[in-house]
Amino acid sequence: MAKICSNVFDDLRIDGQDREHLPEMITLIRAMCAKGQTLVDAAERVLVGQE
């Protein structure tokens, strides 16, 4: 992920020059978001005593 995102963000903007890297970057970030949401859900269950 760091390699793909660094290819996109090396010039501090997302533009047409990044087009070839964007599909993979989008897929990776969406997967990270989904995993993050799973962790949040698990943590919230523990907080309310439903572990």
Side-chain angles (χ1 to χ4, degrees):
M1 177 161 183
K3 180 179 178 2
I4 295 300
C5 288
S6 68
N7 287 335
V8 173
F9 298 130
D10 64 348
D11 61 359
L12 304 176
R13 63 179 170 212
I14 298 175
D15 57 25
Q17 293 179 333
D18 304 311
R19 192 173 311 276
E20 69 179 285
H21 303 291
L22 295 179
E24 188 173 8
M25 186 189 85
I26 290 167
T27 298
L28 290 168
I29 292 173
R30 288 191 189 278
M32 263 186 33
C33 289
K35 289 176 184 178
Q37 186 62 54
T38 299
L39 291 171
V40 168
D41 293 346
E44 288 177 335
R45 283 192 301 274
V46 169
L47 279 177
V48 297
Q50 297 178 350
E51 50 182 317

